[in-house]
Amino acid sequence: EEEAITKICCIGAGYVGATTSAVIAYKNPSVDVVVVDSCEAQIHAWNSGNFPIYEPGLKDILSVVARSGSSGGDVRGEKKARKASTSSIGNLVFSSNIEHAVQNAQLIFVCVDTPTKTRGTGSGFATDLRSVEASVNRIMDLSTTSKIIVEKSTVPCGTAAGLRELLARSNGKGVKHEILSNPEFLAEGSAIRDLLHPDRVIIGCEDTIAGKQATARLASLYKAWVPENCIISLNLWSSELAKLAANALLAQRISSINSLSAICEAVGADIHEVGRVCGLDRRIGPEMLRPSIGFGGSCFEKDIRSLVYLAEGLGLRSVAAYWMSVLDLNEYQKHRQTSRIVDFLHPAACDRVAILGFSFKKDTGDIRGTPALALVRDFADRGFQINIYDPRAKIGSIQEMLDRELPLSSRHKPTAIFSSASEACDQVHAIVIATAWDQFRTNSKETTLDWTSIACHMQEPKVLFDCCNVVKAGYLEGLGMKVVELGRRR
Ligand code: NAD
Ligand code: UGA
């Protein structure tokens, strides 16, 4: 009988590390979880209560599990009193004391970023593994006892095998680390729900007794709330490939529906009807068939690029081209929408546009890989003045992205970010809804926009482009606007 895990460390306090650690701590009150990050500001933000990310439900869980005042990495003395409230467990700490957290842990999740390489071999396609390698090197340097190292970051196939070789070098120190692959399938905006009710948890391991034992110990943490038949053990390669494959398949569905949206706009069919009817076929299913200006976020594109790189490396040209076409269609879709909008506006007279929504999807403040950037770029190229509003994305982060991606020299007219939709829409000729925030809906309790006032303060021709299917066209037309929708002929 292997000793149960009671001490966990999570390296990486970002979207995945923080949310996953919070839920594991919540469901395993007798397990202590320490989340560390090389970025001190990130740890400070978690401890200050001014959380670096927004996720529905996260605050509530942290109010139960997070030990108050755990900043400064003072986990050694455990001096800080646990929260007085009886409902709080206080078994999760955000700390910058990486050394202590790693040394003390039996199991370590590696939840660091794995972006696409921007230089060197495979630039633009291969995965930059520097953060993962730095984490594993740190674990090797610091550890005086054997650890289970859990690869939670999304990595290329073969990474765990490579890390095993690296770890074997630690063996001389009298320790023997085990590596597991346990990719994460949560989506932003629904991270807590996804973690509480996962479709499956997958654990890849080496086919050895030690590998199986490590798998059982990790699985026992998940068994605290995940049904046993949803916890699947598989080999390391399958596990790593399944993660890339799942994201590629999800993205492929979106590119498929987006390709059909172009046909709908040309012939007069309605993409929402087409999507709904197709989704009613149980073999197809309704999810991930929502047409959009393109998929965004930090993962779909990078994971498909990783898959394309793998296929190319294996000499599987047709396979690589097939998955690349999912990305090509996504680019086409983004630019197709701006062309459609601009054609409609006759730019000579109309050059002011408001973009409502800048996060890559609703219910998150995350703007990484947002398709709204393509709209901004295209409008800027065509000489538009652009006003931006998003309910959650931080103005500073949007500004930083624009400064990085859109040099001032490429902007003929000002690009400004506003803290309210009404200000952003004031005196514009057109509004584009780029993110499906509920507050933009015309028929939802969440609506906070005063559409009557917005319509009143626009300039003719008062066009609204709904790229997210959130407005009732008839209602806005009644207010004097012209409504154009993605996937429907106007
Ligand atoms: P993130 O950028 O939000 O967080 C990563 C954190 O790791 C950062 O705070 C960074 O400072 C820290 N870090 C980097 N190197 C470090 C080191 N050597 N030591 C300590 N800390 C270090 O990233 P994320 O969105 O949480 O994604 C993490 C991984 O999970 C990626 O591989 C991603 O593909 C995968 N993933 C992400 C999502 C998602 O929705 N965001 C979902 C599933 C899987
Ligand atoms: C996605 C996957 O859904 C997760 O399972 C996975 O764990 C994660 O990537 C990851 O590996 O990072 P995420 O990117 O957070 O999660 O969000 P999604 O809901 O998948 O949306 C991604 C993009 O696709 C968004 O821009 C969204 O607007 C777009 N989308 C989504 C559509 O255009 N249509 C849809 O029907 C669904």
Side-chain angles (χ1 to χ4, degrees):
E1 216 6 53
E2 280 285 322
E3 189 193 355
I5 302 289
T6 55
K7 292 189 178 77
I8 297 178
C9 168
C10 172
I11 303 183
Y15 283 86
V16 173
T19 52
T20 310
S21 297
V23 169
I24 288 178
Y26 181 62
K27 292 294 185 180
N28 291 274
S30 58
V31 175
D32 277 318
V33 182
V34 183
V35 188
V36 298
D37 202 291
S38 51
C39 173
E40 297 242 358
Q42 185 81 350
I43 295 298
H44 181 74
W46 284 113
N47 285 322
S48 70
N50 182 17
F51 299 156
I53 65 165
Y54 167 72
E55 264 307 325
L58 175 61
K59 218 174 190 162
D60 294 338
I61 292 199
L62 283 180
S63 73
V64 176
V65 297
R67 198 169 310 165
S68 53
S70 55
S71 60
D74 187 21
V75 286
R76 192 164 283 159
E78 304 269 314
K79 287 181 213 130
K80 306 278 181 347
R82 293 191 175 199
K83 267 193 176 167
S85 153
T86 46
S87 63
S88 91
I89 318 173
N91 57 337
L92 178 124
V93 173
F94 289 98
S95 165
S96 21
N97 191 340
I98 300 184
E99 186 180 338
H100 180 262
V102 165
Q103 286 177 339
N104 206 32
Q106 298 155 294
L107 181 145
I108 303 170
F109 285 106
V110 177
C111 297
V112 297
D113 45 308
T114 51
T116 303
K117 277 174 86 169
T118 53
R119 53 172 62 186
T121 318
S123 175
F125 288 90
T127 306
D128 182 344
L129 281 172
R130 279 177 300 178
S131 295
V132 171
E133 284 161 1
S135 305
V136 172
N137 278 321
R138 198 80 203 276
I139 295 170
M140 281 171 38
D141 288 347
L142 293 171
S143 300
T144 50
T145 55
S146 303
K147 314 288 181 196
I148 299 174
I149 301 173
V150 184
E151 178 188 271
K152 190 165 264 306
S153 296
T154 305
V155 292
C157 297
T159 302
L163 293 174
R164 275 182 70 82
E165 283 176 28
L166 192 69
L167 290 168
R169 290 190 219 145
S170 288
N171 286 354
K173 289 183 173 175
V175 295
K176 190 165 184 324
H177 306 308
E178 214 33 65
I179 183 126
L180 298 176
S181 159
N182 173 222
E184 183 49 59
F185 295 102
L186 68 83
E188 287 178 29
S190 57
I192 299 299
R193 196 178 66 221
D194 296 340
L195 286 163
L196 290 175
H197 308 284
D199 291 335
R200 74 302 205 191
V201 167
I202 69 173
I203 305 177
C205 73
E206 177 90 333
D207 190 13
T208 58
I209 292 173
K212 299 280 179 216
Q213 282 172 342
T215 300
R217 293 175 83 196
L218 173 60
S220 73
L221 294 171
Y222 284 110
K223 279 184 197 161
W225 81 99
V226 180
E228 209 162 328
N229 61 348
C230 295
I231 304 175
I232 298 161
S233 166
L234 64 182
N235 76 37
L236 287 169
W237 266 84
S238 298
S239 178
E240 288 169 340
L241 183 57
K243 172 63 200 178
L244 297 181
N247 271 0
L249 286 165
L250 293 172
Q252 179 222 39
R253 285 173 68 94
I254 302 170
S255 277
S256 299
I257 203 78
N258 282 342
S259 77
L260 295 168
S261 75
I263 297 181
C264 288
E265 287 161 19
V267 301
D270 178 336
I271 192 61
H272 301 283
E273 289 176 354
V274 174
R276 193 172 71 242
V277 170
C278 291
L280 283 171
D281 185 324
R282 252 172 301 160
R283 295 165 304 174
I284 298 174
E287 307 278 330
M288 305 303 275
L289 286 181
R290 196 166 27 80
S292 59
I293 47 169
F295 56 77
S298 56
C299 293
F300 279 170
E301 177 162 352
K302 92 170 159 61
D303 292 349
I304 291 177
R305 287 181 181 276
S306 175
L307 193 61
V308 168
Y309 187 68
L310 172 68
E312 286 280 1
L314 296 169
L316 304 171
R317 279 280 165 81
S318 301
V319 178
Y322 175 72
W323 289 110
M324 200 56 212
S325 73
V326 171
L327 293 180
D328 294 342
L329 197 288
N330 201 45
E331 287 309 302
Y332 163 77
Q333 179 75 349
K334 293 183 212 169
H335 300 300
R336 196 173 71 77
Q337 284 313 315
T338 351
S339 300
R340 196 164 164 245
I341 296 167
V342 171
D343 282 355
F344 189 85
L345 282 173
H346 310 300
C350 313
D351 61 359
R352 283 196 296 277
V353 61
I355 295 182
L356 297 188
F358 198 81
S359 60
F360 81 95
K361 60 186 273 194
K362 74 167 184 172
D363 291 341
T364 177
D366 196 355
I367 59 170
R368 293 179 293 180
T370 181
L373 180 65
L375 292 185
V376 175
R377 207 179 254 138
D378 285 353
F379 279 121
D381 282 350
R382 289 166 161 104
F384 273 75
Q385 175 188 325
I386 305 158
N387 295 347
I388 298 171
Y389 165 72
D390 188 275
R392 281 282 171 187
K394 296 191 171 116
I395 290 182
S397 330
I398 300 177
Q399 192 63 60
E400 207 176 286
M401 177 181 264
L402 295 181
D403 290 346
R404 191 178 62 237
E405 304 285 341
L406 207 74
L408 274 177
S409 56
S410 69
R411 306 182 208 167
H412 309 286
K413 298 256 170 56
T415 301
I417 308 154
F418 293 84
S419 55
S420 80
S422 56
E423 284 174 274
C425 296
D426 191 34
Q427 304 305 319
V428 297
H429 299 100
I431 297 174
V432 184
I433 299 183
T435 313
W437 284 99
D438 285 338
Q439 62 165 266
F440 302 154
R441 290 188 179 276
T442 47
N443 59 341
S444 148
K445 284 194 212 83
E446 313 258 354
T447 307
T448 52
L449 301 198
D450 181 349
W451 282 108
T452 311
S453 161
I454 288 175
C456 181
H457 290 96
M458 284 177 78
Q459 294 274 320
E460 291 293 344
K462 302 196 183 196
V463 182
L464 183 121
F465 288 89
D466 182 4
C467 298
C468 303
N469 193 32
V470 293
V471 305
K472 282 256 177 285
Y475 169 70
L476 293 182
E477 279 159 4
L479 300 176
M481 290 190 193
K482 291 180 190 59
V483 178
V484 185
E485 295 161 294
L486 186 146
R488 288 184 182 125
R489 190 157 67 183
R490 25 162 274 93

